[in-house]
Amino acid sequence: MENGEIEAAEDGLPVPAPPNGRRYRPVGSDDSAVIQMTSMEPSPGSTSTSVTGHDAITPQPPRNLKPGGANLTIDPSMQEGSGDHATSSGSQRDSKLELFGFDSLVNILGLKSMTGEEIPAPSSPREGEDVAITIGRPKETGPKFGTMMGVFVPCLQNILGIIYYIRFTWIVGMAGIWQSLVLVSFCGACTFLTGLSLSAIATNGAMKGGGPYYLIGRALGPEVGVSIGLCFFLGNAVAGSMYVLGAVETFLDAIPSAGLFQESVTAVNNTLLNGTATAGTATISTPSLHDLQVYGVIVTILLCFIVFGGVKIINKVAPAFLIPVLFSLLCIYLGVFIAPRHNAPKGITGLSLTSLRDNWGSEYQRTNNAGVPDPDGSIYWDFNALVGLFFPAVTGIMAGSNRSASLKDTQRSIPIGTLSATLTTTAMYLFSVLLFGALSTREELLTDRLLTATVAWPAPVVIYIGIILSTLGAALQSLTGAPRLLAAIANDDILPVLNYFKASEGAEPHAATLFTALICIGCVIIGNLDLITPTITMFFLLCYAGVNLSCFLLDLLDAPSWRPRWKLHHWSLSLVGALLCVVIMFLISWSFTVISLALASLIYYYVSIKGKAGDWGDGFKSAYFQLALRSLRSLGANQVHPKNWYPIPLILCRPWGKLPENVPCHPKLADFANCMKKKGRGMSIFVSTIDGDYHELAEDAKTACHQLEAYIEYKRCEGVAEIIVAPSMSEGFRSIVQTMGLGNLKPNIVVVRYPEIWRRENLTEIPSTFVSIINDCIIANKAVVIVKGLDEWPNEFQRQYGTIDLYWIVRDGGLMLLLSQLLLTKATFESCKIQVFCIAEEDTDAEELKTDVKKFLYDLRMHAEVIVVTMKSWESHVESSSSGAQPDDSQEAYTSARRRISTYLSEMKETTQREGRPQMVDGKQVVVNEQKVDKFLYTMLKLNSTILRYSRMAAVVLVSLPPPPLNHPAYFYMEYMDLLVENVPRMLIVRGYRRDVVTFFT
């Protein structure tokens, strides 16, 4: 099959025949087929695949490819064998998988999406566009490296630094042999455990560029990942300048004539030897600061040119730096074993048990800034200070993971390379402690800063070369890893300010490299890094602690996706590693620890405010999920004690009337939901129903749910959104109230807006639906809160004054009292006072009732004014009416309601007589007792009159919700409720459930 174009056709258009002469045709209803599953790639020598039936089932051309514009180009490199064979095999294979809805793009898009790569959603090509699909040919990327050159060598170069050459012997002299062994083991254990955690996370899945940032960010979230990642980047960038200055200083010490400016000379008096101060003056020459600046900038620029050349050039240059370093180490060991030579100082005794015994203990003392023992020195050294001095000698274990995007196999190379480099250098340090401790006297260890060069065979110049090349190699690795780390952070598109440092996959991060070089040059120009180097060490430790904490969290939660290939690990090891990092940070300097943590916290806060959310499924969300599951299991399904009761409102968003299409919920519902929570704690469930068939409206429900979630987030209301598709609102709510929630986390209060528009819109539907919702709540044992006057409900900026009036008619478990207290916790109602109105009949002892209610409220720790209001009973009203006495209240509303009910009742009777059946409303038989109807109307009228008399200026009125009378039409109940709420601007109609929500217990 030659490279060409396959034109897709619309239905009814002829389809070009393939080269084997067969034509595609649709599958008929009478076709039969036997499906045989075979591998995706044809086996050599296979010519066809059997398909029984009338004809081979062949796929129809895709409908999303339009003729005349979109062309599909097939890569010729994918064609194997003859064209006929390839076409026949391919068509047969596609025809088999067509019955399974197989999409050939799954091979490309599905696997890439699982590795975390962003894949654009496939879309139909437009007219005039050419669509090229290249199958099988891998995307060309940069060079990939294995374990040795990709991980082991970079880690070894970063770990073997200047501290070993010029400070390690001094550390042995100051701390003694046994404490030096403890020091090396302590720091080595920290990096080794971090290496174990790094290995476990790196072998749990595909790892892109960014090294520790990628691991921490995906485990602990983007905020933690970016904050620690940027600190680690800064640490690597400044560490590069430290290495450059170390190399330049060693070069100028070895060749003083190379200095362009005059050296600095420091005089030291009363040098401390053998524990006693000796008279005399020692002079110490140090290179000029300007020489360090000039040579440092030149060396940094040269290293940056190497870095700009790419990873391929870096790995070619790396052995040139590493091999002389290893050779210098060999020269040191040879010199130690053949010491003392004829020109050696007197303090070098050679390997001696006497020296080993004398140097076994520690001898901490004061020194000057150059490290020379001086009783008047300004620095006192102890074990904590030596930890800060030595720990940079074991850092560098992230050098390989920083270049993870350039590795062939990260899951194999990172564990082997990192742990091998860590164990190798730690063993070398431990062995060197014993050698140096037995090599010379303590005075020689403390006064000869370059003792390694003094004993090296055949000449000290080998050590100078080793120091220079080791520091330059470490600087090269820092300048290589830091830009890739910054580019990885920028590529995740979390912080828009970092977009300048993005780099495409496989490309060199030139912008990030230039920025890193500028930071390095700036620090080199400063010349003195004594004030910031402890903070840089803190950044490394902060990163190590983040890696350990990430692994600890993932291992402890043990999610199904946590399946690392690295088996030698346990969550306790990660926890110990994280604790070691924290301990070392505070041992070095608590002040610099606070500074580094403060900087990381500021970055975290900035990312949380300005950054974009990364959907990485971080470990914190998994921890919350696990905690929620365990809490739910511990709660069980038992009844919650009143002192532990929290309102979980189920809020019906659009039950009545119509809102604009882009408004998923009444704007004031979230404000009211927040008023039901104390200090914002608690959860609200916002639900809405869509009338129709679920299969047809599933996508509409998803869209509406996203809009509702955005509304909740905009209103800063803690809650979740749910959209239900049902044939009607009543059936949808009935499903919600039965199934929503789990265990004791089920919603316990249903919040619904009062249907004030029921007379104007859909007169027959709203009453039945409203009554159905209330009855469903009663059966499901849910409390009900009906909000009247939601349009006038105040938002968080509208402060209310006056009173919150409670008309406590029936016992509701204290829900009405609790709601009033929750309202007072909000700034909107905090200036209000609570009044409790107790409705009593005329023959009730008002004072006794008032005393009882006050005592009850006092025991509940609620402050409220109690008012007892007597109301004439229905029987008294009937007697007064028969005797000719006129009631105090206007009869207009009462008369209008009776007239409407009489009209409705007459029509219902005529219909039943005409059809010859019992009285039916909404499919249910009703029995109307007109005397009870009058009683309900009168009771509502008197209660409304009482509310208007005492609470016309109240901020909000709470009143008990009467249950719908049995066998009464829903229309009648709406008339009762209209009488109750008439002329009251803002009212909450509350019905409790068969549980107490307040208690006397603390």
Side-chain angles (χ1 to χ4, degrees):
M1 182 178 183
E2 297 179 356
N3 186 13
E5 298 176 352
I6 299 177
E7 295 183 355
E10 295 283 348
D11 292 343
L13 295 180
V15 181
N20 60 358
R22 306 193 67 175
R23 289 183 176 274
Y24 297 121
R25 73 174 185 84
V27 181
S29 59
D30 57 342
D31 288 335
S32 61
V34 176
I35 306 300
Q36 298 179 357
M37 299 306 295
T38 59
S39 63
M40 289 301 299
E41 296 297 334
S43 59
S46 63
T47 58
S48 64
T49 308
S50 64
V51 177
T52 61
H54 294 286
D55 280 312
I57 301 173
T58 53
Q60 287 296 307
R63 296 189 179 187
N64 61 337
L65 298 179
K66 304 296 182 182
N71 299 325
L72 182 71
T73 304
I74 305 298
D75 190 349
S77 66
M78 282 304 298
Q79 303 172 16
E80 299 180 2
S82 65
D84 293 343
H85 168 76
T87 306
S88 175
S89 176
S91 62
Q92 294 283 2
R93 184 166 59 250
D94 291 343
S95 68
K96 292 185 178 184
L97 292 169
E98 183 185 18
L99 296 184
F100 294 87
F102 178 80
D103 185 359
S104 62
L105 293 180
V106 169
N107 284 338
I108 302 173
L109 301 183
L111 296 179
K112 285 190 175 181
S113 64
M114 286 191 295
T115 61
E117 299 183 24
E118 294 183 0
I119 303 298
S123 59
S124 302
R126 302 174 183 175
E127 289 192 24
E129 294 180 345
D130 291 338
V131 181
I133 301 179
T134 302
I135 307 176
R137 175 173 292 176
K139 183 179 179 180
E140 293 186 4
T141 59
K144 300 292 185 178
F145 300 97
T147 302
M148 178 61 67
M149 297 306 300
V151 180
F152 182 78
V153 170
C155 289
L156 203 64
Q157 282 188 308
N158 263 33
I159 295 174
L160 290 178
I162 193 173
I163 292 179
Y164 178 79
Y165 289 99
I166 68 174
R167 278 298 197 181
F168 196 65
T169 56
W170 184 90
I171 292 175
V172 174
M174 186 68 69
I177 294 176
W178 79 269
Q179 289 197 19
S180 297
L181 293 174
V182 172
L183 175 64
V184 173
S185 302
F186 185 62
C187 297
C190 177
T191 55
F192 179 75
L193 293 177
T194 304
L196 286 178
S197 300
L198 177 69
S199 302
I201 304 178
T203 58
N204 189 53
M207 182 176 174
K208 296 172 65 177
Y213 155 73
Y214 184 86
L215 302 179
I216 297 173
R218 267 58 178 180
L220 301 182
E223 294 87 358
V224 179
V226 171
S227 59
I228 295 181
L230 288 178
C231 290
F232 192 58
F233 158 76
L234 183 61
N236 275 279
V238 181
S241 63
M242 293 171 54
Y243 297 136
V244 168
L245 288 175
V248 172
E249 185 174 353
T250 305
F251 171 74
L252 294 175
D253 282 338
I255 310 177
S257 59
L260 304 176
F261 301 91
Q262 186 177 2
E263 295 179 327
S264 301
V265 179
T266 304
V268 180
N269 297 321
N270 299 327
T271 303
L272 188 68
L273 292 176
N274 200 19
T276 59
T278 60
T281 301
T283 59
I284 300 175
S285 298
T286 57
S288 171
L289 174 62
H290 301 299
D291 285 334
L292 294 176
Q293 293 170 339
V294 173
Y295 282 104
V297 171
I298 294 174
V299 172
T300 303
I301 293 175
L302 293 177
L303 292 177
C304 289
F305 276 117
I306 298 176
V307 175
F308 269 104
V311 179
K312 188 174 182 180
I313 296 179
I314 294 170
N315 283 284
K316 288 182 178 180
V317 175
F321 289 98
L322 182 61
I323 292 176
V325 173
L326 298 179
F327 179 73
S328 66
L329 294 177
L330 178 61
C331 293
I332 293 175
Y333 292 142
L334 289 177
V336 168
F337 283 107
I338 65 175
R341 299 202 301 272
H342 65 280
N343 57 347
K346 294 181 179 180
I348 298 178
T349 61
L351 297 179
S352 170
L353 291 176
T354 303
S355 300
L356 184 68
R357 185 176 59 253
D358 294 340
N359 295 328
W360 184 257
S362 62
E363 191 172 313
Y364 296 113
Q365 52 192 286
R366 292 187 176 274
T367 68
N368 58 15
N369 293 332
V372 178
D374 187 351
D376 298 327
S378 59
I379 304 176
Y380 178 77
W381 294 92
D382 55 8
F383 185 82
N384 295 353
L386 291 183
V387 171
L389 177 64
F390 174 74
F391 190 81
V394 298
T395 58
I397 60 173
M398 300 293 180
S401 61
N402 285 343
R403 303 161 61 180
S404 54
S406 303
L407 300 177
K408 293 179 182 177
D409 186 358
T410 57
Q411 298 190 25
R412 180 180 182 274
S413 298
I414 289 180
I416 296 177
T418 303
L419 294 178
S420 298
T422 304
L423 292 175
T424 300
T425 52
T426 303
M428 187 195 73
Y429 287 147
L430 292 174
F431 183 59
S432 299
V433 168
L434 297 175
L435 290 183
F436 294 148
L439 175 66
S440 62
T441 62
R442 190 182 300 273
E443 290 78 13
E444 190 69 23
L445 292 173
L446 293 175
T447 56
D448 191 350
R449 295 183 60 186
L450 280 172
L451 182 60
T452 53
T454 304
V455 301
W457 180 89
V461 66
V462 177
I463 304 305
Y464 287 113
I465 295 175
I467 294 174
I468 294 173
L469 293 181
S470 69
T471 51
L472 291 180
L476 183 63
Q477 297 301 333
S478 296
L479 294 176
T480 303
R484 282 157 176 77
L485 177 61
L486 182 60
I489 299 175
N491 287 339
D492 280 337
D493 201 21
I494 301 297
L495 283 180
V497 73
L498 300 179
N499 289 341
Y500 300 102
F501 306 115
K502 288 184 177 180
S504 59
E505 183 181 356
E508 293 295 327
H510 294 304
T513 302
L514 181 61
F515 182 68
T516 306
L518 293 176
I519 294 178
C520 187
I521 291 174
C523 293
V524 168
I525 292 176
I526 295 175
N528 186 359
L529 301 178
D530 292 339
L531 295 178
I532 61 174
T533 48
T535 306
I536 304 306
T537 304
M538 298 302 171
F539 290 157
F540 282 99
L541 283 166
L542 195 63
C543 178
Y544 297 166
V547 172
N548 283 297
L549 184 60
S550 302
C551 189
F552 165 73
L553 192 61
L554 293 172
D555 214 355
L556 187 65
L557 296 174
D558 198 18
S561 60
W562 176 246
R563 299 186 302 275
R565 298 178 185 270
W566 190 256
K567 304 298 182 183
L568 301 177
H569 190 267
H570 191 262
W571 63 266
S572 58
L573 297 178
S574 296
L575 180 59
V576 173
L579 292 177
L580 279 178
C581 292
V582 175
V583 170
I584 292 175
M585 290 176 70
F586 280 98
L587 283 179
I588 294 174
S589 173
W590 68 267
S591 58
F592 282 105
T593 301
V594 172
I595 292 174
S596 59
L597 291 176
L599 179 59
S601 300
L602 288 175
I603 299 176
Y604 178 92
Y605 181 74
Y606 179 78
V607 175
S608 62
I609 298 298
K610 298 293 184 180
K612 299 179 182 178
D615 188 14
W616 297 338
D618 60 82
F620 284 136
K621 291 183 176 62
S622 180
Y624 299 152
F625 180 76
Q626 292 282 353
L627 182 61
L629 289 181
R630 294 179 183 179
S631 301
L632 185 61
R633 287 197 299 267
S634 64
L635 286 174
N638 298 327
Q639 181 173 338
V640 179
H641 194 274
K643 71 178 181 180
N644 300 324
W645 189 87
Y646 280 87
I648 305 178
L650 179 70
I651 302 171
L652 298 184
C653 296
R654 304 179 65 165
W656 327 113
K658 294 183 179 180
L659 296 172
E661 291 298 328
N662 59 343
V663 180
C665 182
H666 192 285
K668 295 296 184 66
L669 264 178
D671 295 328
F672 176 74
N674 281 328
C675 290
M676 300 179 68
K677 302 173 184 177
K678 186 176 182 180
K679 297 180 180 179
R681 291 194 297 265
M683 181 181 69
S684 303
I685 303 176
F686 290 78
V687 297
S688 185
T689 58
I690 298 179
D691 295 344
D693 183 73
Y694 176 69
H695 292 172
E696 298 176 358
L697 300 176
E699 292 301 322
D700 294 342
K702 292 180 181 178
T703 303
C705 189
H706 292 323
Q707 293 176 348
L708 191 55
E709 289 172 349
Y711 162 80
I712 296 172
E713 184 177 358
Y714 170 74
K715 284 291 187 176
R716 293 180 294 179
C717 181
E718 291 185 359
V720 295
E722 293 289 345
I723 301 295
I724 301 297
V725 180
S728 65
M729 181 186 297
S730 298
E731 294 185 23
F733 177 77
R734 192 167 294 123
S735 300
I736 291 171
V737 79
Q738 293 181 77
T739 60
M740 188 67 68
L742 186 64
N744 275 319
L745 289 183
K746 290 182 179 179
N748 46 33
I749 300 178
V750 175
V751 178
V752 62
R753 180 188 180 191
Y754 185 79
E756 302 172 49
I757 61 170
W758 75 281
R759 293 189 186 280
R760 300 192 306 269
E761 301 180 13
N762 204 358
L763 177 64
T764 59
E765 180 68 21
I766 289 182
S768 60
T769 303
F770 183 71
V771 172
S772 173
I773 290 175
I774 296 176
N775 285 328
D776 290 342
C777 293
I778 294 174
I779 295 173
N781 196 27
K782 307 289 185 185
V784 183
V785 175
I786 300 174
V787 187
K788 193 267 181 182
L790 187 61
D791 295 332
E792 289 78 28
W793 191 264
N795 57 34
E796 57 182 336
F797 305 108
Q798 295 174 326
R799 185 175 292 273
Q800 301 296 304
Y801 300 93
T803 60
I804 298 175
D805 293 349
L806 281 64
Y807 286 82
W808 194 16
I809 301 174
V810 297
R811 185 177 181 274
D812 59 357
L815 178 61
M816 190 184 298
L817 297 174
L818 182 61
L819 288 178
S820 64
Q821 296 297 320
L822 293 175
L823 289 176
L824 288 182
T825 62
K826 299 299 176 182
T828 304
F829 296 99
E830 65 181 0
S831 300
C832 298
K833 295 181 180 180
I834 296 179
Q835 293 184 146
V836 177
F837 291 87
C838 298
I839 307 298
E841 295 185 359
E842 289 179 327
D843 56 351
T844 304
D845 188 347
E847 290 301 324
E848 183 180 356
L849 177 61
K850 183 175 182 179
T851 302
D852 292 341
V853 174
K854 279 188 173 182
K855 177 67 168 54
F856 179 74
L857 295 177
Y858 177 81
D859 292 337
L860 290 177
R861 306 168 304 281
M862 294 183 179
H863 302 282
E865 182 182 357
V866 179
I867 302 173
V868 178
V869 178
T870 58
M871 192 172 67
K872 184 184 296 184
S873 65
W874 163 252
E875 289 76 11
S876 302
H877 166 68
V878 173
E879 293 177 0
S880 61
S881 299
S882 60
S883 63
Q886 296 295 326
D888 297 333
D889 303 292
S890 174
Q891 296 293 317
E892 181 179 355
Y894 174 72
T895 305
S896 299
R898 286 199 62 183
R899 184 170 56 251
R900 288 192 296 269
I901 288 179
S902 298
T903 302
Y904 184 89
L905 188 58
S906 300
E907 294 176 354
M908 185 174 61
K909 288 180 179 180
E910 292 178 2
T911 303
T912 56
Q913 291 177 359
R914 184 174 59 252
E915 297 179 356
R917 58 176 178 78
Q919 293 180 350
M920 304 287 292
V921 176
D922 298 328
K924 298 180 181 179
Q925 185 175 354
V926 296
V927 178
V928 179
N929 187 328
E930 296 187 23
Q931 185 177 3
K932 285 189 176 181
V933 172
D934 289 340
K935 180 178 181 179
F936 291 146
L937 286 173
Y938 172 79
T939 303
M940 293 301 179
L941 177 63
K942 293 296 293 182
L943 184 57
N944 177 261
S945 300
T946 304
I947 293 173
L948 293 179
R949 183 182 307 120
Y950 293 101
S951 306
R952 188 179 294 272
M953 302 303 294
V956 61
V957 175
L958 285 78
V959 66
S960 299
L961 171 69
L966 295 176
N967 301 325
H968 279 216
Y971 178 86
F972 291 3
Y973 185 73
M974 291 304 301
E975 290 287 357
Y976 308 154
M977 296 301 297
D978 274 359
L979 277 179
L980 176 64
V981 304
E982 187 175 7
N983 295 324
V984 181
R986 197 180 297 150
M987 176 184 284
L988 301 182
I989 313 170
V990 181
R991 178 175 180 82
Y993 60 133
R994 294 184 296 273
R995 293 181 183 178
D996 289 331
V997 298
V998 293
T999 179
F1000 298 141
F1001 298 102
T1002 58

